[in-house]
Amino acid sequence: MSYLLAFVVGGLICVVVQILMDQTKLLPGRIMVLLVCTGAVLGALGWYEPFAKWAGAGATVPLLGFGNVLFKGVKDAIDAEGFIGLFKGGFTACAVGVSAALIFGYLGSLIFRPKMKD
C-alpha cells in the first residue's frame, strides 16, 4: 500500500507542476526553484516531516524533498557550528545527491553520446 501512496502523491506533485507549466508563463527552471523553496519552507514550519512520513518516497524524491534536505542541513549546521553553518550546511547535506546526479549524468552521456542541437 505504501508503494501506491508514494506513486499517487508523487504523481499529484507532478500534476501540479504540469498545470503550472501549462497555465502560467513560469519557465521550468523557476518552477523547480519554487518546488525547492516550498520544500524548505514546509520543513521550517514543521509540516514536511509528517507529510513525508505519510507519503513516503512520493514526497521525498521530488524537488520538495531536496528543499527540505537543504533546510535540515543548514539548521543542523547552525545548531552545531553557529553562523558559519549557514554557509556550510546546505552543501554538506546535499553533497551525495548532487555528486550522484553529476556522475550518473556523465556516465549517461558516455553511453548515449548526446548531440548538440543545430
Side-chain angles (χ1 to χ4, degrees):
M1 190 64 175
S2 62
Y3 293 121
L4 180 63
L5 185 60
F7 178 77
V8 169
V9 171
L12 287 174
I13 292 170
C14 292
V15 166
V16 170
V17 169
Q18 191 65 48
I19 290 170
L20 284 173
M21 289 176 68
D22 292 344
Q23 301 298 322
T24 68
K25 293 183 179 184
L26 290 172
L27 298 173
R30 291 184 180 181
I31 293 172
M32 289 192 293
V33 169
L34 182 67
L35 286 170
V36 172
C37 291
T38 302
V41 169
L42 290 175
L45 294 173
W47 299 348
Y48 190 84
E49 288 300 321
F51 174 62
K53 285 182 182 177
W54 175 74
T60 57
V61 172
L63 286 171
L64 289 173
F66 184 69
N68 184 56
V69 166
L70 289 175
F71 165 74
K72 284 179 16 182
V74 169
K75 182 180 177 297
D76 293 344
I78 288 173
D79 292 343
E81 301 177 36
F83 182 72
I84 195 71
L86 182 65
F87 302 102
K88 287 176 55 175
F91 291 116
T92 56
C94 71
V96 172
V98 171
S99 297
L102 290 171
I103 291 167
F104 290 124
Y106 179 71
L107 292 175
S109 72
L110 291 176
I111 293 169
F112 296 106
R113 300 282 184 188
K115 297 184 180 40
M116 297 299 290
K117 288 186 176 183
D118 292 329

